[in-house]
Amino acid sequence: MKIITFIKNWMLPIAMAVGAASYYIYVSIPALDATHEVVLKAISYVQPTLLFCMLFVSFCRMGIRELKPRAWMLKLLAIQVVSFVAMGLLVVWMPEMPSRVVVESAMICMICPTATAAAVVTTRLHGNANVVVSYTCLINLAVSLVVPAMVPFLHESATPGMTFEISFLLILAKVFPLLIMPLVVAWLVRHLFPRFHAFILRQPNLAFNLWAVSLSLAIGVSVKALVHSEESLWNMVGIAIASFLCCLLQFVLGRLIGRKHGEPVAGTQSLGQKNTVFAIWMGYTFLNPVTALAGGFYSLWHNLVNSWQLWRVRK
């Protein structure tokens, strides 16, 4: 029983350690070399499926009326959008700056939308998950508009033909299945399959356990990206520091704003916990591919912060 309790209490650090260790063990077995591409492709399907299920379980516990946005969320949106645009303009005005890749990495960390798992962590921290889900919808909409508008000015040669419409549709296709569809399915289950809906409600740890598995996969993918990166050590250190500072800044600002409006936990998680899989994809798709490392580093930082917060709640 002590072992089970220990695992439950330290689920996040254990999941992170398992993800990193699994990658190194897997690549060290020569007999499995031929399976690398197949496994990577399988993970690309398993990860979004886990996120879908996790958000579906969260939506089953809340009604659509409870997801109405709050006026104070505009402050969170302003922090993300204004910082992204300001750094983007800096890159446009100074395209040859030596630390450009670090600035672009910070841009990704600031504009990256809230993680779908943020509602799960908010619940564990005794916060208002409805607020987090509502803000997740808002920031994804904002990202769908702001990023396509900014990208053509940042990398015209790297993204030929990347018009606003194409960028908008790419991002929409990325976020719609994992944000809107779980809400629709949860609503249908609530009204058409009440027994199954009741069964879901009787599983209080289901969403958190799904997140632990998803986190292990995300850490494994992040470790792979870091190991195979050919970027200079100086830039990697710069990206790591930039992602850490962005993470710390957003957790602090989110708590300050949320506390002022009676939602300290929701504000913290809404602004601080990011969809790092989306951040990695955004770096590869729209900016310098090296900036995708920022998503990997941010994944480490925000999960360490979450582990610390969960430890504090237990104490």
Side-chain angles (χ1 to χ4, degrees):
M1 292 299 294
K2 289 184 178 180
I3 295 177
I4 295 176
T5 302
F6 177 82
I7 293 175
K8 287 182 178 179
N9 289 340
W10 297 98
M11 180 73 79
L12 299 194
I14 292 173
M16 294 169 68
V18 168
S22 298
Y23 169 77
Y24 283 110
I25 294 172
Y26 174 67
V27 298
S28 65
I29 302 176
L32 299 177
D33 288 349
T35 66
H36 288 183
E37 291 188 9
V38 176
V39 170
L40 190 61
K41 188 172 184 179
I43 290 176
S44 68
Y45 287 104
V46 172
Q47 265 190 316
T49 301
L50 286 171
L51 293 173
F52 180 97
C53 294
M54 183 172 53
L55 200 54
F56 161 73
V57 172
S58 298
F59 280 143
C60 281
R61 298 182 177 276
M62 57 187 72
I64 295 180
R65 293 181 180 179
E66 298 170 336
L67 301 180
K68 62 180 181 180
R70 277 70 167 175
W72 61 268
M73 292 179 182
L74 293 175
K75 298 178 182 178
L76 304 183
L77 283 174
I79 290 173
Q80 294 196 245
V81 173
V82 172
S83 61
F84 175 78
V85 173
M87 287 187 284
L89 293 176
L90 179 64
V91 170
V92 172
W93 290 333
M94 303 173 63
E96 303 301 326
M97 67 169 64
S99 56
R100 172 168 179 159
V101 68
V102 176
V103 176
E104 289 187 4
S105 297
M107 290 173 61
I108 288 178
C109 292
M110 294 304 297
I111 197 61
C112 184
T114 306
T116 52
V120 178
V121 180
T122 301
T123 300
R124 301 286 288 202
L125 295 174
H126 310 305
N128 190 342
N130 300 332
V131 173
V132 176
V133 173
S134 180
Y135 183 74
T136 302
C137 296
L138 284 178
I139 187 57
N140 274 281
L141 178 60
V143 169
S144 300
L145 297 172
V146 175
V147 173
M150 200 73 194
V151 164
F153 299 101
L154 297 173
H155 283 275
E156 296 181 16
S157 59
T159 55
M162 187 67 76
T163 63
F164 175 86
E165 292 80 5
I166 294 175
S167 303
F168 174 79
L169 291 175
L170 277 174
I171 295 176
L172 198 63
K174 193 74 175 178
V175 302
F176 179 81
L178 295 181
L179 191 64
I180 305 302
M181 289 305 296
L183 177 61
V184 174
V185 174
W187 183 83
L188 291 174
V189 167
R190 180 191 295 266
H191 290 86
L192 300 180
F193 305 98
R195 290 187 178 181
F196 180 65
H197 181 259
F199 171 78
I200 294 294
L201 297 182
R202 291 196 298 269
Q203 316 302 319
N205 297 317
L206 179 57
F208 190 73
N209 293 336
L210 288 172
W211 182 44
V213 177
S214 177
L215 176 59
S216 292
L217 293 176
I219 292 296
V221 172
S222 298
V223 170
K224 175 184 178 297
L226 294 174
V227 169
H228 289 277
S229 174
E230 298 179 355
E231 190 60 28
S232 67
L233 179 61
W234 173 252
N235 277 341
M236 289 187 66
V237 171
I239 292 172
I241 294 174
S243 61
F244 173 75
L245 293 177
C246 289
C247 179
L248 188 62
L249 176 66
Q250 291 181 96
F251 268 107
V252 171
L253 291 178
R255 178 164 290 275
L256 291 175
I257 294 172
R259 179 185 294 165
K260 184 177 180 181
H261 297 277
E263 297 287 358
V265 176
T268 303
Q269 300 309 122
S270 293
L271 198 58
Q273 188 172 344
K274 301 294 187 182
N275 184 350
T276 53
V277 175
F278 182 88
I280 294 172
W281 172 81
M282 189 163 63
Y284 275 120
T285 305
F286 298 110
L287 302 175
N288 188 325
V290 176
T291 59
L293 293 175
F297 281 119
Y298 199 102
S299 178
L300 173 64
W301 307 139
H302 80 171
N303 282 301
L304 288 175
V305 173
N306 283 335
S307 299
W308 174 72
Q309 290 186 116
L310 290 168
W311 174 79
R312 286 192 65 193
V313 167
R314 289 198 303 274
K315 293 295 181 180

